[in-house]
Amino acid sequence: QVQLVESGGGLVQAGGSLRLSCVASGRTFSRYGMGWFRQAPGKEREFVVGITWSGADTYYADSVKGRFTISRDNAKNTVYLQMNRLKPEDTAVYYCAIHTAPYLTTVAEGYLELWGQGTLVYVSS
């Protein structure tokens, strides 16, 4: 059974930073790509960032490009989302996701599945 546990959310002022963490279990983490989605109140879920199993390829939504950075630490089974220069429109519940199969070389959102409960990020203006 896959388990993804997100943490690091909270309240921050606009312009501030947060780092989200997601610890994965139930699969050999180093073989799987990872990603982050977010869902703001009343809005559709949005694919924000993705990283392949090797870390060689990443994806960033235009809305976060240049401000967010995804990284992974295979020794800790953890993927991180560093969020800088946060804006009120970044307010959302952020969900970690894992690839459906190992060694995928794509960062397309269709190959990611969500197992976590999410962590709330609230950016005040």
Side-chain angles (χ1 to χ4, degrees):
Q1 179 74 9
V2 176
Q3 188 173 18
L4 303 176
V5 180
E6 301 98 336
S7 63
L11 171 64
V12 64
Q13 288 188 331
S17 299
L18 281 175
R19 188 176 79 158
L20 306 184
S21 300
C22 170
V23 180
S25 60
R27 289 182 183 164
T28 304
F29 179 80
S30 61
R31 301 175 183 177
Y32 286 81
M34 302 292 295
W36 290 89
F37 290 77
R38 67 185 181 185
Q39 188 162 21
K43 293 189 177 181
E44 296 288 319
R45 190 172 64 201
E46 177 188 12
F47 178 42
V48 179
V49 297
I51 187 168
T52 53
W53 67 274
S54 65
D57 292 294
T58 55
Y59 164 83
Y60 293 92
D62 288 341
S63 56
V64 306
K65 205 170 289 183
R67 301 187 297 122
F68 290 12
T69 303
I70 188 171
S71 62
R72 60 188 301 152
D73 185 340
N74 290 340
K76 295 182 178 180
N77 288 356
T78 302
V79 63
Y80 301 99
L81 180 60
Q82 178 67 44
M83 306 185 295
N84 298 328
R85 303 200 311 275
L86 282 161
K87 305 175 181 180
E89 51 263 45
D90 294 317
T91 294
V93 177
Y94 284 72
Y95 298 91
C96 179
I98 188 168
H99 267 171
T100 55
Y103 301 125
L104 294 177
T105 56
T106 176
V107 289
E109 65 175 295
Y111 293 90
L112 287 160
E113 54 186 356
L114 278 72
W115 292 90
Q117 296 298 310
T119 185
L120 175 63
V121 172
Y122 187 88
V123 184
S124 63
S125 57

